[in-house]
Amino acid sequence: MSEIIIKAEKLTKTYKLPAEEIYAVRDIDLDIYAGDFIAIMGSSGSGKTTLLDSLGCLGKITSGRLRVMDKDVSCVPESALVSIRRKFISFVFQDFLLIPSLTALENVELPLYFSRSRKGRKHCVDFLNRVGLGSRIHHLPKQLSGGEKQRVAIARALASSPKVLFADEPTGNLDSKNSREIFELFRKLNKEEGFTLVVITHNPQLGELADRVVRLKDGRIISKEE
Amino acid sequence: MKIFGIAYKNLNRKKIRTALTVGGVAVAVAVLVSLFGFDAGYQRSLNNDIDKLGYHILVTAKGCPYEAATLILKGGGGLRYMEDAVYKRIIKDPRIDKITPQLISTVYNQESAQGRGAFTLYMGVDDTFLELKPWVKFKSGGWFSAPDAEEAIMGYEAAEVEQRLAGDQIFVPSINKVLTVKGIFERTGTQDDGLVFIPLATAQRIFDLPGKLTGIGIKLINIQDTAKLEEELYNEPGIQVVSLTQVRGTILNLVSSARVMANSVALIAIFIAVIGVTNTILMSVFERTREIGVMKALGASAFDIFKIIWLETIFICLFGGILGMFLAFFGSNIVEHIIRKTLPYAPSGKLVFIELRLLILSFVGVLVMGLVAGTYPALRASLMKPIEAIRSGE
């Protein structure tokens, strides 16, 4: 069995409204292993995105315990979460969320700049080559198709060599052909690079490519399938 | 990938908005630099003019105007006279280096100023005049042939206006005298350029003012004796003493209200520019909320985001500042023209004096302005929570 790199115990995240407290996710117990490929599935409002944000240290959890790379991050300040994200975590979003003013290559270089990494431009070009965009490195996002933008986002996420890559519906804005290609790319890179992949998807066929599927309903895990 | 590149490219996305904001800063800086340049230039020119008067103290008859501008404003009248006995008493003072008596008289000439009529100022002087003003050179001709000769030496502008050359004759209306132009002075850049000089004795005779003077110019051996001598001369009856400090103060008072207004306008312009820059950057921050969230998700710290937004503001202010400095530097002639038209009295020489020190100070000022204008937007951006920022557009 591989080492556990993320461990959630009774993880709960609530949002306070003036009249009530909304439980977005509740009592989540989940172990994520090195090299895992996990698909998180569930209907809209089931808490998938909140769970991904919490596991990805994008915000503080309300209660419970969360350990990332053997560090308890349940109650740490934002500056400590920044440090965890820089070292271990990366993201791919449904809307790609590339920086429009930067070229594909510059977008990929961005996390390296923030993490003060010594990896140079060549490293980023290599990643763009690996996602099949070697000829489009100096293109701006507006000059790329949806599938190409998502490939840039994947290269950007992987350039900093994260331990875990969180992808929030990465194929949600793509057609079925591009969706399949992106998922296969994820699968391939997951095997080659050895990083852990946690993907939110609505697509059951894409979910089948994952090692494990975690299903959520009303903020709680209802099943974990191998 | 450098932080400068990120900030610059962000600004480049909204070219028109950035250009307009830069333009606003440029105008504000140009106004500020021009006004400070004017402040420096005006005082410089005024000091220069006063130094060129050649004397430290001017003794005049009580109530007599002591500079040409006031004399003209009073319609050429208002002259008061003192006896030359005063001159004979003062000349004995050992603290005096050089001293020169003067007799000013004004004559209205119907045909001057292209038929509109104007006053001509005649100044009676003796040989000591040139001792006080050794820099005065002749453009043509030379000094009077005798202390009571019926001759004139014209200032540069007076000769230009009347189109006279050495050897010509000029007619003095109202007393019906004809004087021979003995010489024409080079341009001095002072009020002397507009005067017609005649020998003192001749002036006293033809204007029927025997033994009378309007002023006595005094240059001291030691300028620090000015206040003391001035105080002693106050005991002389029927005279007033004007020191150069007073002249400078009087003229500065004339323009002080204009300066206060202009400085207020400049400060308001800077204030508006700061608000404009803050507004532009704040709008840009709000538009890029999701991008800022993504950068944070990718490992940017609050300080990284702060630096990017701050740099954008500083870029705008620096571009605007440098542009404004260029505008002020190359547009100083236009500003000078406008100021000369507006002010009641403007000294000769360059009125808007923009020196390197002023440009460096403005550069630093603009940098500070950028830091101030950018602080709030940068703080807003840096304090954004990544989840809320990323999910804000969904």
Side-chain angles (χ1 to χ4, degrees):
Chain A
M1 180 67 73
S2 307
E3 61 165 332
I4 294 173
I5 56 170
I6 296 179
K7 186 173 184 66
E9 293 171 287
K10 301 282 179 201
L11 186 150
T12 300
K13 175 80 180 174
T14 63
Y15 293 104
K16 278 185 182 152
L17 297 179
E20 56 179 333
E21 194 169 15
I22 305 286
Y23 281 84
V25 289
R26 196 169 196 163
D27 298 329
I28 300 288
D29 290 317
L30 184 65
D31 292 340
I32 298 174
Y33 299 96
D36 240 359
F37 180 0
I38 299 177
I40 299 175
M41 300 184 75
S43 55
S44 289
S46 59
K48 304 185 296 292
T49 298
T50 304
L51 178 60
L52 183 132
D53 291 343
S54 299
L55 296 175
C57 298
L58 277 178
K60 290 181 185 175
I61 60 173
T62 309
S63 64
R65 213 162 156 221
L66 178 66
R67 294 184 72 83
V68 177
M69 300 303 291
D70 224 19
K71 280 190 182 132
D72 192 339
V73 296
S74 315
C75 303
V76 297
E78 167 62 19
S79 56
L81 294 180
V82 170
S83 173
I84 296 283
R85 290 199 297 269
R86 272 185 190 164
K87 285 181 193 158
F88 308 118
I89 296 169
S90 212
F91 296 89
V92 172
F93 301 97
Q94 180 179 352
D95 299 335
F96 327 124
L97 294 183
L98 301 178
I99 308 298
S101 54
L102 304 181
T103 64
L105 179 58
E106 288 166 342
N107 265 287
V108 176
E109 286 178 313
L110 206 53
L112 297 182
Y113 168 74
F114 291 134
S115 62
R116 280 73 174 159
S117 168
R118 290 182 181 277
K119 287 172 190 163
R121 180 158 276 208
K122 189 176 172 299
H123 172 80
C124 300
V125 174
D126 285 346
F127 263 101
L128 281 165
N129 278 324
R130 289 175 67 180
V131 297
L133 283 179
S135 60
R136 319 209 69 177
I137 59 173
H138 297 302
H139 284 61
L140 290 170
K142 66 181 177 191
Q143 297 165 318
L144 302 172
S145 69
E148 287 171 331
K149 283 181 196 166
Q150 200 57 295
R151 285 167 190 269
V152 175
I154 293 167
R156 177 177 71 180
L158 295 179
S160 55
S161 308
K163 296 282 183 202
V164 194
L165 171 59
F166 290 97
D168 186 2
E169 299 199 43
T171 58
N173 281 345
L174 301 177
D175 58 29
S176 56
K177 179 177 169 285
N178 268 313
S179 297
R180 189 91 206 165
E181 282 176 10
I182 291 293
F183 251 82
E184 279 167 4
L185 181 64
F186 269 131
R187 177 85 259 187
K188 177 173 158 265
L189 293 170
N190 169 241
K191 295 291 171 212
E192 287 174 6
E193 299 291 318
F195 59 83
T196 302
L197 182 58
V198 181
V199 183
I200 291 178
T201 182
H202 275 110
N203 189 329
Q205 290 171 319
L206 298 178
E208 283 171 12
L209 290 172
D211 300 329
R212 284 195 290 158
V213 176
V214 174
R215 291 186 192 279
L216 288 182
K217 189 180 178 189
D218 298 331
R220 294 177 189 272
I221 293 178
I222 53 168
S223 72
K224 295 177 189 170
E225 300 156 19
E226 294 288 326
Chain B
M1 189 78 228
K2 293 275 159 36
I3 192 166
F4 292 97
I6 300 171
Y8 175 76
K9 287 185 174 191
N10 276 335
L11 290 175
N12 210 24
R13 268 153 78 174
K14 303 274 182 187
K15 288 190 178 69
I16 292 177
R17 186 165 68 188
T18 303
L20 287 173
T21 316
V22 166
V25 174
V27 169
V29 170
V31 169
L32 196 72
V33 170
S34 298
L35 284 171
F36 281 126
F38 163 66
D39 224 26
Y42 191 90
Q43 299 226 20
R44 213 171 100 110
S45 301
L46 190 60
N47 288 339
N48 201 30
D49 263 18
I50 287 169
D51 287 345
K52 278 191 176 172
L53 284 175
Y55 38 78
H56 301 142
I57 291 176
L58 180 66
V59 176
T60 65
K62 204 157 250 169
C64 185
Y66 50 83
E67 39 88 26
T70 317
L71 200 56
I72 298 294
L73 282 173
K74 288 192 171 188
L79 284 166
R80 300 281 182 274
Y81 305 98
M82 60 184 162
E83 298 299 327
D84 59 6
V86 178
Y87 169 68
K88 284 170 187 153
R89 274 199 300 278
I90 296 173
I91 199 168
K92 293 174 189 156
D93 195 299
R95 289 165 292 186
I96 292 172
D97 179 23
K98 291 185 175 74
I99 182 164
T100 187
Q102 302 168 351
L103 174 63
I104 292 177
S105 192
T106 57
V107 176
Y108 186 72
N109 188 350
Q110 185 68 47
E111 288 169 20
S112 277
Q114 294 164 334
R116 280 173 290 155
F119 283 98
T120 305
L121 265 65
Y122 292 87
M123 184 186 270
V125 291
D126 66 11
D127 296 354
T128 55
F129 178 78
L130 284 184
E131 288 174 19
L132 257 87
K133 304 195 180 192
W135 58 85
V136 171
K137 300 268 183 298
F138 283 93
K139 186 186 163 208
S140 59
W143 193 246
F144 308 116
S145 56
D148 59 348
E150 295 200 346
E151 292 169 345
I153 296 170
M154 300 184 82
Y156 184 88
E157 275 170 27
E160 285 278 299
V161 171
E162 298 282 327
Q163 296 190 329
R164 300 292 176 189
L165 299 170
D168 286 357
Q169 294 201 311
I170 51 170
F171 178 67
V172 187
S174 81
I175 56 166
N176 296 324
K177 266 284 169 210
V178 174
L179 301 171
T180 305
V181 179
K182 195 73 177 58
I184 293 168
F185 284 134
E186 289 266 22
R187 188 191 289 278
T188 60
T190 66
Q191 63 182 25
D192 289 354
D193 288 347
L195 301 181
V196 177
F197 297 89
I198 52 180
L200 181 62
T202 310
Q204 287 172 332
R205 179 164 46 83
I206 65 174
F207 293 113
D208 198 19
L209 296 163
K212 302 282 184 191
L213 298 174
T214 50
I216 304 165
I218 300 169
K219 189 177 181 189
L220 297 170
I221 297 167
N222 187 350
I223 198 167
Q224 277 145 0
D225 290 331
T226 309
K228 200 152 185 290
L229 181 64
E230 200 181 333
E231 209 178 307
E232 286 171 24
L233 287 173
Y234 273 125
N235 298 325
E236 283 278 344
I239 64 163
Q240 64 183 1
V241 185
V242 183
S243 70
L244 296 190
T245 343
Q246 273 178 293
V247 176
R248 191 181 285 124
T250 307
I251 297 170
L252 282 178
N253 277 343
L254 278 173
V255 292
S256 64
S257 54
R259 281 169 64 206
V260 168
M261 279 290 288
N263 288 342
S264 310
V265 169
L267 282 179
I268 291 168
I270 288 291
F271 186 64
I272 291 172
V274 169
I275 291 176
V277 172
T278 305
N279 182 47
T280 300
I281 298 294
L282 204 55
M283 272 169 63
S284 158
V285 163
F286 289 146
E287 283 168 6
R288 288 182 288 153
T289 299
R290 294 191 80 190
E291 286 172 34
I292 291 166
V294 169
M295 286 198 257
K296 287 198 153 191
L298 294 174
S301 64
F303 187 56
D304 287 327
I305 301 295
F306 190 91
K307 277 191 294 184
I308 292 170
I309 306 298
W310 227 18
L311 260 182
E312 287 177 25
T313 322
I314 291 168
F315 276 162
I316 283 185
C317 289
L318 284 186
F319 287 149
I322 290 167
L323 186 65
M325 284 182 228
F326 269 98
L327 279 177
F329 193 77
F330 292 106
S332 60
N333 286 339
I334 300 168
V335 175
E336 184 152 343
H337 178 75
I338 295 167
I339 289 171
R340 278 196 187 280
K341 289 262 173 200
T342 319
L343 286 184
Y345 168 73
S348 56
K350 194 138 177 67
L351 275 188
V352 182
F353 181 64
I354 299 171
E355 54 180 346
L356 186 65
R357 190 169 151 269
L358 175 60
L359 292 178
I360 292 170
L361 277 176
S362 306
F363 190 81
V364 173
V366 160
L367 204 65
V368 172
M369 180 179 147
L371 297 178
V372 171
T375 301
Y376 178 66
L379 212 57
R380 278 293 292 253
S382 65
L383 294 177
M384 282 180 183
K385 292 183 174 152
I387 298 179
E388 289 164 20
I390 291 168
R391 309 296 174 202
S392 65
E394 290 180 352

